[in-house]
Amino acid sequence: MSDKEAQKFPPEIWKLFDKYVHGAISRREFIDGASAFAVAGMSGAAILDALNPKFAEAQQIAPTDKRIKAEYVEIPAPGYGKLRGYLVKPASAKSKLPTVLVVHENRGLNPHIEDVTRRVALENFIAFAPDALFPLGGYPGDEDKAREQFQKLDQAKTREDFVAAAEYLKKLPAGTGKVGVTGFCYGGGVANFLATRLPDLAAAVPFYGTPPDPAEAGKIKAPLLLQFAETDERINAAWPASEAALKSAGVKYQAYIYPGTQHGFNNDTTPRYNKEAADLAWKRTIDFFKENLRAS
């Protein structure tokens, strides 16, 4: 089944899938629920297979691409003691560069997020993507197992590790000291959290993440670029109160809701991907980082 065909699934399928990927229902519950809908004679298991990510098919930049230098590094972190991440630099860099922290979805540092990190680096930034699952052995290579592992994390400790990752980039010898953050789904929420936590953060671009806590909005000093899907009830329900708080606090922000999109529309490994919206959101992201990370 092609992505375009899968995008024609009824809304109930997408709601079930959203619950599944965020741990609200099990794999069996998704399959049983999806089986109730007649979709081209497909079983619930076949529907799930069509919706699951296809990493190799979507890869845009190979890990061995000569335009980049990529490595895994370990850094001290207060939450779990140590954090591992994927650090990517442009191979042609002749001077110090701004840095971007890339925060994954709720499955850890999978091949898609590594690819996104390489894409950021090719825009002439140093990009670093930590793996929140490192304390539990790292991304296990299986999305179901990754989701199960993710639920075992102590999120208070994990958030402290992401703070440490941002501080690592701020002090990176090859960096300029300016740090931006982007994140997707869970990572979008982390990006918003870091904006409330780090007064010297230079920019934050959350994709369909839990919006900033209204009670914490006054702590945000970084400019925000918030990207939302049109069909994303769980995330969008919190946005009006958050936006009111951002306005009241005088936070500099831009927010876009992309028509005709599902939660996860930037992830080109799944049928939720919307190329037109993703291309526009990505251009806005890179332009935003160039404006806010490279300014004197």
Side-chain angles (χ1 to χ4, degrees):
M1 170 174 281
S2 69
D3 283 0
K4 289 185 177 180
E5 290 172 325
Q7 286 169 4
K8 295 178 182 178
F9 285 160
E12 292 83 2
I13 294 290
W14 294 112
K15 289 180 181 179
L16 280 172
F17 189 65
D18 187 71
K19 289 181 179 180
Y20 166 66
V21 297
H22 294 100
I25 61 175
S26 68
R27 176 186 177 88
R28 172 48 56 190
E29 287 172 319
F30 174 86
I31 290 174
D32 290 346
S35 296
F37 299 95
V39 180
M42 299 175 69
S43 67
I47 292 172
L48 181 57
D49 182 66
L51 294 176
N52 275 332
K54 308 294 189 292
F55 295 127
E57 296 173 16
Q59 180 178 277
Q60 293 188 24
I61 304 163
T64 56
D65 192 300
K66 299 300 183 183
R67 296 173 294 172
I68 59 171
K69 291 182 179 179
E71 61 180 326
Y72 295 96
V73 300
E74 294 184 11
I75 64 172
Y80 282 100
K82 189 178 289 187
L83 184 64
R84 184 175 190 257
Y86 188 54
L87 184 67
V88 190
K89 307 174 184 178
S92 60
K94 299 290 193 298
S95 59
K96 293 186 176 185
L97 296 175
T99 61
V100 176
L101 183 66
V102 181
V103 188
H104 53 63
E105 299 156 312
N106 67 332
R107 275 92 73 198
L109 183 58
N110 63 22
H112 167 65
I113 295 300
E114 291 189 347
D115 193 37
V116 169
T117 307
R118 294 190 289 270
R119 298 175 202 176
V120 173
L122 281 182
E123 297 292 344
N124 213 30
F125 298 101
I126 297 172
F128 181 54
D131 186 359
L133 288 177
F134 178 64
L136 303 179
Y139 175 71
D142 176 279
E143 293 286 280
D144 285 338
K145 291 179 181 177
R147 271 187 289 270
E148 292 172 7
Q149 289 290 86
F150 211 82
Q151 294 177 16
K152 298 176 183 178
L153 290 171
D154 180 332
Q155 285 301 323
K157 290 183 177 181
T158 299
R159 285 193 293 270
E160 293 306 312
D161 284 352
F162 280 114
V163 170
E167 293 296 335
Y168 162 74
L169 287 179
K170 181 181 176 183
K171 299 171 184 176
L172 196 69
T176 62
K178 287 199 170 186
V179 181
V181 58
T182 188
F184 307 87
C185 184
Y186 166 83
V190 171
N192 283 320
F193 160 73
L194 290 175
T196 68
R197 181 68 180 271
L198 301 173
D200 55 354
L201 188 69
V205 185
F207 278 71
Y208 32 81
T210 302
D213 181 347
E216 301 290 310
K219 298 179 181 178
I220 298 175
K221 306 303 179 186
L224 307 179
L225 171 60
L226 303 109
Q227 320 253 35
F228 296 100
E230 181 180 42
T231 305
D232 196 356
E233 296 174 5
R234 182 177 53 85
I235 293 297
N236 294 354
W239 174 233
S242 181
E243 182 175 32
L246 293 176
K247 288 180 177 179
S248 178
V251 176
K252 182 181 178 182
Y253 77 94
Q254 302 172 42
Y256 296 97
I257 298 176
Y258 294 84
T261 58
Q262 301 277 344
H263 180 94
F265 70 82
N266 188 71
N267 189 332
D268 52 1
T269 70
T270 80
R272 293 189 293 178
Y273 175 59
N274 182 305
K275 179 173 171 47
E276 181 179 2
D279 286 350
L280 178 56
W282 187 252
K283 182 180 186 305
R284 286 171 170 164
T285 297
I286 297 305
D287 288 348
F288 192 74
F289 282 145
K290 288 179 177 178
E291 175 186 354
N292 290 287
L293 301 187
R294 291 183 181 156
S296 59

